[in-house]
Amino acid sequence: MRIRFAVLAVLILVVTDLCAQVRVVVLPFRNMSHDMKYNAWNYQFADSLRMALLESDPESRDFVIVSADSVELALADLNLDPNNPQYESDMWKAVRNLGARKAVQGNFQLRGERVLINCYVYDMESMMADATNQAKDIYKSPTTFLESIRPIVKRIRPGLSAP
């Protein structure tokens, strides 16, 4: 009887812990330059950021990252493309469908020989960007743009945990 009670208590703790975790969706970045040859960067940024966030919390104690496959399916279900102007308004439906409490979205723009990168954490309850945990005005070269991922993680990670 005691063993059953102990197993039940552990299961309740695990389920409670999982429910308390913040589900986070990392969305493809937006190409604000509108030069189609850089559209592949949309997913390179998102995939690299997703991996870096997973590395920053390997046991998923503070948050759970929604898998890339799930994000892609949710976007495909609504026929959303990050390069389409309508993407901005409809992507929130996909995030809600994934049951996320936070969404990470960024953009990049080529400015001469540099890439301007911005990244924001959105709270899905308020639909507002977190003013303190964002990564703005990061400049890299077109060959080193993914070096922006570490500074982005450092700036946004505090905003991904439960309040």
Side-chain angles (χ1 to χ4, degrees):
M1 184 66 137
R2 286 185 182 183
I3 293 174
R4 287 183 186 170
F5 179 73
V7 170
L8 181 61
V10 169
L11 284 174
I12 289 171
L13 287 173
V14 168
V15 170
T16 303
D17 189 44
L18 288 174
C19 292
Q21 289 176 321
V22 176
R23 284 179 54 87
V24 177
V25 170
V26 178
L27 295 163
F29 277 46
R30 297 282 317 264
N31 176 1
M32 304 306 281
S33 298
H34 307 296
D35 187 338
M36 289 177 48
K37 70 181 180 182
Y38 298 106
N39 284 350
W41 289 11
N42 298 354
Y43 293 94
Q44 282 181 291
F45 270 116
D47 291 342
S48 297
L49 182 56
R50 188 178 297 107
M51 294 306 295
L53 287 169
L54 286 168
E55 289 171 10
S56 77
D57 187 18
E59 285 91 32
S60 298
R61 292 179 194 225
D62 296 328
F63 53 84
V64 175
I65 301 291
V66 176
S67 73
D69 291 340
S70 296
V71 174
E72 287 180 33
L73 283 172
L75 294 175
D77 281 346
L78 296 171
N79 198 27
L80 298 178
D81 176 0
N83 300 306
N84 184 322
Q86 191 171 347
Y87 173 79
E88 198 71 34
S89 63
D90 291 344
M91 70 180 180
W92 302 117
K93 292 176 190 172
V95 174
R96 274 192 226 90
N97 289 346
L98 290 166
R101 285 181 42 201
K102 306 274 182 156
V104 177
Q105 184 205 25
N107 59 60
F108 62 91
Q109 182 176 23
L110 271 72
R111 292 192 170 179
E113 295 298 313
R114 300 186 332 167
V115 181
L116 169 64
I117 304 151
N118 297 299
C119 186
Y120 307 92
V121 175
Y122 289 87
D123 181 290
M124 293 310 298
E125 188 174 315
S126 67
M127 297 296 292
M128 301 285 292
D130 182 336
T132 57
N133 299 299
Q134 52 186 291
K136 290 179 63 175
D137 301 328
I138 298 173
Y139 285 93
K140 295 291 179 185
S141 75
T143 57
T144 64
F145 69 94
L146 287 178
E147 290 177 8
S148 65
I149 297 300
R150 294 283 177 225
I152 289 172
V153 168
K154 185 176 180 180
R155 293 182 194 174
I156 70 168
R157 193 182 183 300
L160 300 180
S161 302

